[in-house]
Amino acid sequence: MNEVEKLYEMLRKAQEPKGYYFNKDRERVFELLQALLVNKDRYGYMSCPCRLASGDREKDKDIICPCVYRTPDVEEYGSCYCNLYVSRAWNEEKTPHLYVPERRPPEKILS
């Protein structure tokens, strides 16, 4: 089992009981998990692969995966911003697959 597969299993076991599932598009999920591992090597923490990290853990604490925006995104849209974590209904296509807008405040993005 490679690093991405190990991360997949670890996160799946930890997140599914909380009601967060990986997107059924396994190729997309593995690309995102690989990007999380790249960010872990680069910054020392797994920052969201869909956002620019500053390299300062304190400034980026809101985008360390799973980010603080995941819960409201999944509650409102059935998916997080990256489409990594989704609801069961989203995977079963009982929820429309809408664009998930960026919730991170602009001042955090630009700093």
Side-chain angles (χ1 to χ4, degrees):
M1 193 181 295
N2 68 32
E3 262 192 283
V4 172
E5 291 168 329
K6 287 178 187 172
L7 182 60
Y8 177 90
E9 283 305 315
M10 181 189 73
L11 293 175
R12 185 186 64 74
K13 287 176 185 173
Q15 299 305 318
E16 282 187 3
K18 298 175 186 176
Y20 298 103
Y21 300 87
F22 282 129
N23 185 329
K24 67 181 178 179
D25 181 346
R26 199 169 165 101
E27 185 176 335
R28 168 94 174 136
V29 168
F30 276 55
E31 287 171 0
L32 290 167
L33 293 177
Q34 180 61 49
L36 283 171
L37 291 170
V38 167
N39 283 347
K40 184 178 181 185
D41 286 343
R42 184 179 292 152
Y43 305 118
Y45 52 92
M46 292 193 301
S47 65
C48 177
C50 299
R51 296 176 168 105
L52 287 176
S54 69
D56 179 329
R57 186 182 189 97
E58 188 59 30
K59 286 183 181 176
D60 292 340
K61 67 183 178 182
D62 63 319
I63 60 167
I64 294 174
C65 189
C67 74
V68 301
Y69 311 106
R70 178 187 69 172
T71 297
D73 284 351
V74 172
E75 285 174 359
E76 188 172 347
Y77 297 98
S79 170
C80 71
Y81 183 66
C82 298
N83 300 134
L84 176 62
Y85 288 108
V86 300
S87 67
R88 179 178 281 155
W90 194 93
N91 263 344
E92 293 172 352
E93 301 195 25
K94 295 177 181 173
T95 301
H97 293 192
L98 303 173
Y99 170 76
V100 179
E102 174 64 272
R103 288 183 192 267
R104 194 172 198 215
E107 62 273 11
K108 285 197 168 250
I109 297 168
L110 301 173
S111 62

